[in-house]
């Protein structure tokens, strides 16, 4: 495995990229960010990825991983909850190759965060089933069994009380509906109890921007499963993508 990788994290408000030291899981130099174009069509976002790679002067032999806020099934996006609908059915390996002139390795954003936690963070050396959830605009999930990722779980879209779970319990909804920590924690309680009942995990790792405020909501939750905040916070997507790309070299 090479010791340097590059990760690009495509989000609803910004597209972020950095070079990553794969031995430590830390950024090499600055992270750079460009606003997500509106509308966030595949071509417009791919062009932003090109600008980011140019900005970082990423050499052609450095593996590049790109995260998407959607499942990525053999390169293809089957549905897209929180970005432009025109992504549905797009093969993102072909799209990025066309715009970037190089192969890249795509993966789901929560899977990238989960991998980063397994390799460098809170899920390192944890046996059994770890469920990493990212609380943001949506709810992302990564299932990790004995250190191995089971990709493309979509536990943010569990239907609970007739609602798509992320439309009730994401941190985006907390902001949108101006919910107090206590009110939001009630929704999280329902969500995590349901996931716990279905999967009996050994550990929950909670990531996403709001996890820096974990002290405000985690103590309000009553679960059988141990729950810890993510360790990598907002670097997890980029770091996980870079690591994944370096572990699954482009042909
Ligand atoms: C998407 C997931 C994604 C999560 C976080 C959900 O709406 O379906 O694929 O991981 O949002 O971005």
């Amino acid at each position: 495995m090479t010791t340097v990788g590059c990760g690009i994290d495509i989000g609803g408000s910004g597209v972020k990229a950095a070079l990553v030291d794969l031995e430590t899981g830390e950024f090499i130099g600055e992270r750079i960010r460009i606003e997500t174009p509106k509308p966030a069509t595949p071509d417009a976002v791919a062009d932003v990825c090109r600008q980011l790679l140019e900005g970082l002067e990423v050499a052609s032999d450095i593996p590049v991983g790109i995260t998407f806020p959607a499942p990525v099934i053999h390169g293809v996006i089957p549905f897209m909850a929180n970005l432009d609908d025109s992504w549905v059915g797009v093969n993102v390996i072909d799209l990025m190759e066309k715009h970037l002139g190089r192969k890249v390795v795509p993966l789901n954003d929560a899977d990238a965060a989960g991998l980063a936690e397994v390799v460098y963070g809170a899920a390192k050396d944890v046996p059994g089933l770890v469920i990493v959830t990212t609380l943001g605009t949506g709810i992302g999930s990564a299932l990790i069994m004995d250190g191995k990722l089971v990709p493309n779980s979509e536990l943010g879209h569990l239907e609970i009380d007739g609602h798509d779970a992320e439309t009730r319990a994401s941190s985006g909804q907390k902001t949108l509906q101006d919910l107090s920590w206590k009110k939001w924690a009630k929704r999280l309680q329902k969500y995590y109890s349901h996931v716990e009942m279905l999967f009996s995990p050994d550990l929950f790792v909670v990531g996403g921007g709001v996890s820096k405020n974990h002290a405000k909501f985690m103590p309000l939750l009553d679960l059988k499963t141990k729950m810890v905040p993510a360790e990598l916070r907002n670097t997890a997507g980029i770091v996980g993508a870079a690591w994944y790309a370096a572990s699954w070299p482009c042909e």
Side-chain angles (χ1 to χ4, degrees), residues 55-72:
L56 289 172
E57 298 179 358
V58 181
S60 59
D61 60 339
I62 290 185
V64 176
I66 306 187
T67 77
F68 295 83
V72 185

Side-chain angles (χ1 to χ4, degrees), residues 10 68-71 79-82 108-111 134 136-141 153-154 156-157 164 166:
I10 299 173
F68 295 83
F79 66 85
M80 180 60 88
N82 295 308
N108 171 259
D109 56 3
D111 281 348
T134 59
T137 308
I139 297 182
S141 62
S153 65
E154 283 288 328
H157 297 297
D164 188 23
E166 72 173 21

